[in-house]
Amino acid sequence: MEQEYEIEKMLKKEDNVILVKVLDDEMKKNILLYEMKRLDEIVPFINQGMKKAMGEKEALLLIKENKDDFNTDPNKPKASENSFTLRTENGEIIGEMIYDEDELEELRNDPSVYFLSDNFVTYNNVGSNGQKQFFVMDEEPSSFITDQDIDSTVKSLAVAIPSTETDHYIKDCFDLPHDEAIGTVVIGFTPFDE
């Protein structure tokens, strides 16, 4: 039997955990292939968080109930600011997820802002001057998934949120429904002994 990493043991103790599993090379390859397909979309989707997570020595899959509420502590951030953005090829942010309700209310009254969803806004007054645009998903802090200090159990880690197609692939692998409040996260980590 393979040794269990301390980070695995800690995450298995979390509330609403469905699965914690170290990914094998085949599943890591398939996840990367699904993410790479997103580069061919009209507005390419670049999952920087997944690239960073898969660059670590190991990759751990965490599946929990409550997709939009991984960390249930109201004093902890649900996601890092600017973790999901629309950027131009020179890196300028022209759209982003907004989590603050007061800020969202202000933006609803701003004619230079366009809502792509309930909380993703684009800024019409930011010039992209014909530049290519990209959706970019950065990594999340470990506080997004837990209030435990999992960072101290490893040399380094990166928390990645899979894109929709990748999320569906993962759920299909474990016979989980797509339409229920179940979230998938990939945590890339390098153990101290590496």
Side-chain angles (χ1 to χ4, degrees), residues 43 45 82-87 93-99 104 107-108 113-123 133-137:
V43 178
F45 180 95
N82 296 330
S83 62
F84 182 50
T85 56
L86 177 63
R87 301 179 190 179
I93 294 175
I94 57 175
E96 62 189 337
M97 291 290 280
I98 304 293
Y99 299 97
L104 283 169
L107 291 171
R108 284 187 185 96
V113 172
Y114 179 76
F115 279 78
L116 292 181
S117 69
D118 289 342
N119 60 345
F120 192 92
V121 299
T122 59
Y123 305 105
Q133 298 178 2
F134 306 90
F135 284 107
V136 178
M137 177 63 93

Side-chain angles (χ1 to χ4, degrees), residues 5-6 28 30 35 37 48 53 59 76 90 98 100 103 125 172 176-177 179 183 187:
Y5 293 104
E6 186 63 29
K28 286 197 273 190
N30 288 334
E35 292 295 339
K37 283 184 195 176
Q48 294 283 53
K76 295 276 186 172
N90 71 1
I98 304 293
D100 182 272
E103 187 177 356
N125 61 348
D172 288 346
L176 296 169
D179 56 351
I187 304 156

Side-chain angles (χ1 to χ4, degrees), residues 176-188:
L176 296 169
H178 295 192
D179 56 351
E180 290 183 17
I182 296 171
T184 60
V185 171
V186 173
I187 304 156

Side-chain angles (χ1 to χ4, degrees), residues 11-184:
L11 290 171
K12 285 179 179 177
K13 293 177 185 171
E14 290 284 303
D15 291 338
N16 304 320
V17 167
I18 296 170
L19 178 81
V20 175
K21 175 182 176 50
V22 174
L23 297 176
D24 61 29
D25 289 341
E26 182 69 18
M27 192 156 188
K28 286 197 273 190
K29 181 182 90 174
N30 288 334
I31 286 172
L32 284 174
L33 287 173
Y34 273 97
E35 292 295 339
M36 287 172 54
K37 283 184 195 176
R38 303 291 310 266
L39 297 173
D40 295 330
E41 295 178 359
I42 294 171
V43 178
F45 180 95
I46 301 168
N47 195 332
Q48 294 283 53
M50 191 65 72
K51 181 179 176 186
K52 189 163 184 206
M54 290 301 188
E56 297 283 346
K57 178 76 174 156
E58 297 281 2
L60 189 67
L61 175 64
L62 172 64
I63 302 177
K64 285 178 83 170
E65 293 176 11
N66 299 324
K67 182 176 182 175
D68 297 324
D69 206 11
F70 256 80
N71 183 347
T72 54
D73 183 341
N75 300 314
K76 295 276 186 172
K78 299 302 178 205
S80 59
E81 292 297 317
N82 296 330
S83 62
F84 182 50
T85 56
L86 177 63
R87 301 179 190 179
T88 62
E89 58 190 307
N90 71 1
E92 187 173 17
I93 294 175
I94 57 175
E96 62 189 337
M97 291 290 280
I98 304 293
Y99 299 97
D100 182 272
E101 285 301 321
D102 293 334
E103 187 177 356
L104 283 169
E105 196 55 44
E106 271 183 43
L107 291 171
R108 284 187 185 96
N109 298 319
D110 185 337
S112 69
V113 172
Y114 179 76
F115 279 78
L116 292 181
S117 69
D118 289 342
N119 60 345
F120 192 92
V121 299
T122 59
Y123 305 105
N124 298 330
N125 61 348
V126 178
S128 59
N129 301 330
Q131 293 185 53
K132 288 183 182 175
Q133 298 178 2
F134 306 90
F135 284 107
V136 178
M137 177 63 93
D138 287 321
E139 69 179 299
E140 294 291 346
S142 61
S143 62
F144 173 71
I145 54 171
T146 182
D147 57 3
Q148 297 186 77
D149 184 14
I150 59 172
D151 299 71
S152 68
T153 67
V154 294
K155 190 187 293 183
S156 59
L157 68 76
V159 176
I161 299 172
S163 62
T164 305
E165 275 190 46
T166 307
D167 176 72
H168 289 176
Y169 160 72
I170 291 168
K171 288 176 179 171
D172 288 346
C173 289
F174 298 100
D175 294 321
L176 296 169
H178 295 192
D179 56 351
E180 290 183 17
I182 296 171
T184 60

